[in-house]
Amino acid sequence: MDNTDGKTPPPTVWPTLAAADARGLMAWLTGVLGFVEVVAYAGDDGVVQHAELAWPTGGGLMMGQQRPGTDERATSSGSFAAYVVVPDAAEIDAIAARVRDAGDGEIVREPYDTDYGSHDVAVRDPEGNHWQFGTYPGAPRP
C-alpha cells in the first residue's frame, strides 16, 4: 500500500449493493448514516444505474437501482452487510440517534462495547441491509 504522501490511498475494493429505490436509499445513507454522494449516473428514465458513496474517513460503496431480470449484481436489495469503521465513539451514539429519529431504519443492536475494545452499533437501513458501525479499525497491517 503506497501511503508515502500521508494521504489515504483510493479504495480498490468496493462493496456493492442494489436497491429497490436507489435514490431513496442514497438519501437515507447520506442523511442518516453520514455517507457522502460522490457521483450518480442515471439512465434516460432517471433511474440510478451507478452511484458511488464515500465514507468520510476513507472507502466507500457502489450501488444502483435493482433491475429485475437484467441485474448482474451479486446482492439483491436487502441482502447486503458491511462493517464501517468510525474513529470517534461519540459518533456511534450519534448514528444510533439519527437512525432512531429517522424512523424508517431499525437499530438491530443498541450501542455496546466489545471485549476487544470497540464501541459498536448495528442497524438496518429501510431496505433491510445490515450495517455495523464500530471503532475497531481492524488489525494492523504488516
Side-chain angles (χ1 to χ4, degrees), residues 17-22 24-25 66 76-79 104 124-129:
L17 65 95
D21 174 9
L25 185 57
Q66 186 173 356
S76 58
S77 179
S79 65
D104 54 355
R124 279 194 207 290
D125 66 35
E127 294 207 7
N129 299 299

Side-chain angles (χ1 to χ4, degrees), residues 26-96:
M26 289 166 61
W28 197 88
L29 294 173
T30 58
V32 176
L33 295 185
F35 281 90
V36 176
E37 183 179 326
V38 175
V39 67
Y41 300 108
D44 293 338
D45 56 2
V47 174
V48 175
Q49 303 297 317
H50 172 83
E52 296 172 20
L53 303 180
W55 186 244
T57 57
L61 66 100
M62 293 183 185
M63 63 175 292
Q65 186 80 18
Q66 186 173 356
R67 296 176 300 250
T70 63
D71 207 337
E72 69 284 352
R73 289 180 180 85
T75 62
S76 58
S77 179
S79 65
F80 178 80
Y83 178 84
V84 181
V85 177
V86 178
D88 181 5
E91 180 60 17
I92 298 294
D93 300 321
I95 289 169

